[in-house]
Amino acid sequence: MELEVRHLRALCAIADAGSLHKAARQLGMSQPSLTTQLRRIENSLGAELFSRERTGCRPTLLGHSVLSRARPLVAGMAVLVSEARAAADRSAGPRLRIGSTASRALAGWLRRLRERLPGTDISLQMDVSANALLRQVAGGGLDVAFVHEVEGCPLRVPAGLDRRVLVEREPQFISLARDHPAAGSQIVELSDLAADRWMIDPTVDGEWDGLRRVLGAAGLNPPVLHGDYLTASSLIAVGEAIAPCQPTSVPREDMVVRPLRDDPLGVRLLLFSRPGAYEGAGIAGVGTDAGADGDGPGGAEVYADLEAAYREAALQAVVYRQWLMRNKSPLLHAPAA
């Protein structure tokens, strides 16, 4: 078998994700397909590139050697494709390519951006992996990325990206079945959930490590289910599991959202961009605010729209609005025009 760029890209994804399952999600393929592809690559080279362990995959000595040569090739190909697309796009009109992890602020943000930039083609790419989105911004595949960073689990930020902090610490709430014994409390004690099955999506960067750290600090070792949050919702509704959730989550008839005592789980909300990324969106000359972390002209407007959209989503979520009031959050007050 002759190695191709897609094979090298798969090897880099496995090394970065640390597991075949996470890498397959990032690559948009099934785990069995990725496992088969890795086996063929290893067979063509005559040795294992990764050691399979209970906690994931680790590069062997040969794997490290191959990766050291594969990464610049993959990066170079990404730059080639990005520059070619950019050259083609310059004649097609302005555009803004947004990447994001899940957030209820997205709808309001996109609405505001379309009003601000009526002639700009605005696209959105969702991903559970913040690190994958940041790599795409650095490689030119995206212009900006709105992501969350789990407390205690720093993101791997490529060099050269501009950063703005939207929320320094957003508390993570808990989703419970409406008839759960703790659902009647305004604030839930972590100890009251010790006997519950927790559900977590291990493909979300830092999510499992962050939860494990908090549960361990509380002396808890509950059973944990791994799966996506769409599946989690159906299990939570019938009392089969509980799960962390964003405070902007909207409760349902069969499910409630509650804050945890002392807010042990938290994330930081961040907006990243490449220097000059806003030029292609047709807003390079709009405004002169360079931003707290150095993003260029136009960045202030994009950030302001995201800030307004997040505040809107936060105030619409009743439980989160109550939390903001108890904690006298500045989110309760609109920024000066």
Side-chain angles (χ1 to χ4, degrees):
M1 183 185 78
E2 183 175 343
L3 289 183
E4 303 173 8
V5 174
R6 63 188 178 93
H7 298 136
L8 302 182
R9 188 177 296 112
L11 296 179
C12 293
I14 295 169
D16 291 339
S19 78
L20 288 166
H21 177 65
K22 289 184 180 180
R25 285 284 295 271
Q26 292 178 13
L27 294 167
M29 60 193 301
S30 67
Q31 182 175 332
S33 295
L34 182 57
T35 301
T36 300
Q37 186 177 94
L38 175 59
R39 190 177 299 116
R40 288 175 178 169
I41 296 172
E42 291 177 328
N43 288 340
S44 72
L45 296 177
E48 286 191 347
L49 300 178
F50 293 90
S51 59
R52 281 70 156 177
E53 303 173 357
R54 185 179 61 84
T55 56
C57 293
R58 294 184 181 277
T60 61
L61 286 176
L62 176 61
H64 281 295
S65 177
V66 171
L67 286 164
S68 69
R69 294 177 176 271
R71 290 188 188 279
L73 293 174
V74 172
M77 180 59 70
V79 171
L80 185 153
V81 172
S82 172
E83 291 179 349
R85 287 176 175 170
D89 291 339
R90 278 193 285 272
S91 61
R95 75 172 184 174
L96 182 64
R97 298 165 299 172
I98 296 172
S100 180
T101 50
S103 172
R104 295 193 67 85
L106 283 175
W109 189 28
L110 290 174
R111 185 184 73 246
R112 287 171 170 81
L113 287 173
R114 295 190 196 285
E115 292 172 353
R116 182 185 296 279
L117 306 167
T120 299
D121 178 17
I122 300 173
S123 62
L124 173 66
Q125 177 178 325
M126 303 293 297
D127 200 308
V128 296
S129 171
N131 285 313
L133 291 170
L134 296 185
R135 288 194 296 271
Q136 289 198 56
V137 174
L142 293 171
D143 299 310
V144 298
F146 173 42
V147 299
H148 70 275
E149 179 182 64
V150 176
E151 194 168 55
C153 305
L155 295 173
R156 297 187 294 272
V157 181
L161 297 188
D162 293 327
R163 184 201 71 170
R164 276 181 173 265
V165 179
L166 178 68
V167 177
E168 185 61 43
R169 189 179 194 274
E170 179 194 70
Q172 298 300 279
F173 289 178
I174 194 80
S175 292
L176 308 160
R178 188 164 290 277
D179 59 358
H180 189 286
S185 303
Q186 291 294 322
I187 300 175
V188 175
E189 304 286 345
L190 195 58
S191 57
D192 291 341
L193 308 175
D196 287 281
R197 285 180 291 273
W198 290 69
M199 191 157 187
I200 199 79
D201 187 343
T203 63
V204 179
D205 295 327
E207 199 107 320
W208 170 222
D209 291 335
L211 177 62
R212 181 166 49 187
R213 175 181 56 81
V214 168
L215 292 176
L220 303 179
N221 187 28
V224 177
L225 306 176
H226 288 174
D228 63 273
Y229 286 125
L230 182 62
T231 303
S233 295
S234 61
L235 295 179
I236 294 168
V238 296
E240 284 294 318
I242 62 174
C245 67
Q246 297 177 9
T248 51
S249 300
V250 176
R252 308 184 335 191
E253 290 185 0
D254 52 4
M255 189 187 306
V256 300
V257 173
R258 294 287 184 266
L260 292 167
R261 177 74 65 188
D262 298 327
D263 308 308
L265 293 169
V267 303
R268 186 163 58 155
L269 303 183
L270 304 162
L271 180 67
F272 287 93
S273 63
R274 287 178 294 104
Y278 301 107
E279 295 176 7
I283 55 176
V286 179
T288 57
D289 183 359
D293 288 284
D295 57 347
E301 287 72 23
V302 172
Y303 174 83
D305 286 341
L306 175 58
E307 186 177 41
Y310 180 82
R311 179 178 179 274
E312 179 181 66
L315 297 184
Q316 286 176 350
V318 175
V319 176
Y320 191 22
R321 185 171 70 242
Q322 293 170 346
W323 184 95
L324 294 170
M325 293 174 66
R326 287 196 303 272
N327 289 273
K328 298 180 173 57
S329 170
L331 271 176
L332 293 169
H333 310 290

